Amino acid sequence: MTATHPDAGLVQRRHLVTELPGPRSRELSARCDATVSAGVHVALPVFIAAAGGGVLLDVDGNSLIDLGSGIAVTSVGNAAPAVVSAVRAQVERFTHTCFMVTPYEPYLAVCEELARLTPGEHEKRSALFSSGAEAVENAVKVARHVTGRAAVVVFDHAYHGRTNLTMALTAKVMPYKHRFGPFAPEVYRVPFSYPFRDPAGMSGEQAAARALSVIEAQVGAGNLACVVIEPIQGEGGFIVPAPGFLPAIARWCAERGVLLVADEIQTGFCRTGDWFACDHEKVVPDLVTTAKGIAGGLPLAGLTGRAHLMDAVHAGGLGGTYGGNPVACAAALAGIATMREHDLLGAARRIEATAWPTLTALAARCPAVGQVRGRGAMLALELIDPATAAPDPGLTAQVVHACHHAGVVVLTCGTDANVIRLLPPLVIPPDLLAEGLDVLTQAIITATA
Ligand code: PLZ
């Protein structure tokens, strides 16, 4: 790596000087309790003072290994130098005009990058927003507008956001939907392909046929605007559908004028070792939503689609005050340049190559690890009761707790909260990744001994 390695700046090591959370973090937590809504839950109440590369430095001076990237956001590293200097230059020029009032070049440059990088060689147009949920909402707006149809199909275990429409699209009730309804109508849920839980040997094509038969029976293609799908499910448990599932769904949609919306918010921007997870099986969606990893930690989201679809919407139909904020766009351009210059596609693949043998060896040794799955730097362990294969959320919580207290930030996911997911920054130094995996391995061995 060169002198401008994106983790420059912060010592890349795990180093604990207090128990976690430390005294200063505990003080701040107490202030939180008196000010921040209890509805906002904190996974690890360790307050961060600085972060970079693969580490988080807390307010007590502890240095933690980051295997979460703020939920798949800081793929280029936290406070990545190129992002910081682009942001600094942009805030000094101007911070906001509202693109719908008086436009600026960074917005269109991000749209050009989205056109280049998202799957498919066709002509594309994009619109920018501030959060992933907003991008998904707008995908549905475009799909309904263009098709003149109302229904939207989503999958078991899907996660698409917390706004009213995206809550309807999201599968899991707790904590996302409980007592927050009524939800938007015309949303239909069908089975995903879940190789670990599906009947043994079920192919991707068979899983697709199972989903499509439900759609045909309960919705009807003629009523269906779009199918919204995560090519690898994120919050729902890092579920990788069986090969052939996505292409079969895509084919069915294309033959019926149903738009395929790929939600690449968690999977996009090198995370899975491709620019987008759809690339893996060469699936070309009609609309793609992006956010998270796009802008190195600044809030930005995109909706990119076939030009004739995105241009069919009447002028003024898409927008928002902050959508495509110039500072976030500058960050995205620098982040994307970093991904290219530092080969973060290769980095994601190397992370898989390093972690996979460690995790599968752990699974071989420890029957509570039901499955290792994922792709690139989006990897997970599903924890089960070995006797019944039932999800084991208690064990999962125990392991995560042990990792956190040892200074390794891992996250959970899964409808049953029994999946430990790894989303390291793609620039994490290899020895730090190895150390993080070692802590995780020891935590699982200890908890199941
Ligand atoms: N689509 C595939 O993963 C966000 C949610 C964290 P926003 N996932 C993290 C939480 O508990 O709120 C996500 C996603 C996929 C959409 C979204 C929504 O993106 O930027 O959080 O709105």
Side-chain angles (χ1 to χ4, degrees), residues 71 131-133 159-162 176 230 235 263 265-266 292:
I71 322 188
S131 71
Y159 184 92
H160 299 291
R162 293 176 181 267
Y176 307 120
E230 295 158 90
E235 304 305 308
D263 181 344
I265 286 166
Q266 189 151 168
K292 290 190 183 279

Side-chain angles (χ1 to χ4, degrees), residues 41 70-73 130-136 158-163 166 170 175-176 228-236 238 262-267 289-292 299-301 378 421:
H41 177 69
I71 322 188
V73 172
S130 306
S131 71
E134 226 186 322
V136 175
Y159 184 92
H160 299 291
R162 293 176 181 267
T163 59
T166 58
T170 290
Y176 307 120
V228 182
I229 189 164
E230 295 158 90
I232 296 176
Q233 289 186 322
E235 304 305 308
F238 278 30
D263 181 344
E264 292 259 16
I265 286 166
Q266 189 151 168
T267 47
T289 58
T290 51
K292 290 190 183 279
L300 185 71
M378 181 172 185
R421 55 172 153 173

Side-chain angles (χ1 to χ4, degrees), residues 46-366:
V46 165
F47 284 73
I48 299 307
V55 299
L56 301 163
L57 186 68
D58 81 0
V59 291
D60 290 291
N62 299 297
S63 181
L64 288 76
I65 299 178
D66 181 10
L67 299 184
S69 300
I71 322 188
V73 172
T74 53
S75 300
V76 297
N78 216 313
V83 171
V84 171
S85 57
V87 163
R88 190 174 284 144
Q90 180 58 44
V91 283
E92 282 171 358
R93 282 194 291 272
F94 64 96
T95 49
H96 175 82
T97 64
C98 184
F99 191 79
M100 303 183 303
V101 179
T102 48
Y104 40 86
E105 186 175 348
Y107 186 116
L108 70 92
V110 170
C111 296
E112 286 168 352
E113 288 285 22
L114 284 166
R116 274 193 283 272
L117 296 173
T118 54
E121 300 302 314
H122 51 278
E123 203 176 335
K124 297 169 194 160
R125 301 283 184 272
S126 293
L128 303 182
F129 305 97
S130 306
S131 71
E134 226 186 322
V136 175
E137 290 246 8
N138 279 279
V140 172
K141 281 162 68 173
V142 170
R144 284 179 169 159
H145 185 96
V146 170
T147 60
R149 306 170 185 169
V152 177
V153 159
V154 288
F155 292 88
D156 286 340
H157 311 289
Y159 184 92
H160 299 291
R162 293 176 181 267
T163 59
N164 185 266
L165 175 59
T166 58
M167 270 193 292
L169 304 181
T170 290
K172 187 174 174 176
V173 66
M174 275 305 265
Y176 307 120
K177 302 167 73 164
H178 178 60
R179 294 170 69 107
F180 292 151
F183 302 111
E186 287 303 312
V187 174
Y188 300 87
R189 191 171 309 285
V190 302
F192 199 64
S193 164
Y194 191 166
F196 183 61
R197 299 276 173 198
D198 283 341
M202 181 181 245
S203 69
E205 288 78 7
Q206 288 166 332
R210 175 179 64 183
L212 295 169
S213 70
V214 177
I215 299 176
E216 279 167 354
Q218 298 185 16
V219 189
N223 301 311
L224 183 55
C226 59
V227 172
V228 182
I229 189 164
E230 295 158 90
I232 296 176
Q233 289 186 322
E235 304 305 308
F238 278 30
I239 303 168
V240 186
F245 180 76
L246 267 182
I249 300 283
R251 230 171 8 254
W252 182 91
C253 287
E255 285 163 4
R256 287 159 185 81
V258 172
L259 301 190
L260 181 69
V261 180
D263 181 344
E264 292 259 16
I265 286 166
Q266 189 151 168
T267 47
F269 287 98
C270 303
R271 176 54 56 187
T272 64
D274 286 297
W275 279 99
F276 292 94
C278 279
D279 295 335
H280 189 71
E281 289 185 276
K282 300 191 167 47
V283 166
V284 178
D286 299 296
L287 299 168
V288 183
T289 58
T290 51
K292 290 190 183 279
I294 190 176
L298 275 84
L300 185 71
L303 172 63
T304 303
R306 297 183 189 280
H308 72 278
L309 304 174
M310 294 292 290
D311 282 345
V313 178
H314 51 281
L318 304 177
T321 305
Y322 293 114
N325 168 272
V327 181
C329 287
L333 295 171
I336 292 166
T338 303
M339 291 177 202
R340 284 202 186 92
E341 283 160 25
H342 293 274
D343 183 26
L344 296 193
L345 284 177
R349 292 176 187 175
R350 283 191 294 278
I351 288 170
E352 178 180 341
T354 305
W356 196 266
T358 308
L359 297 174
T360 50
L362 173 64
R365 165 169 183 184
C366 193

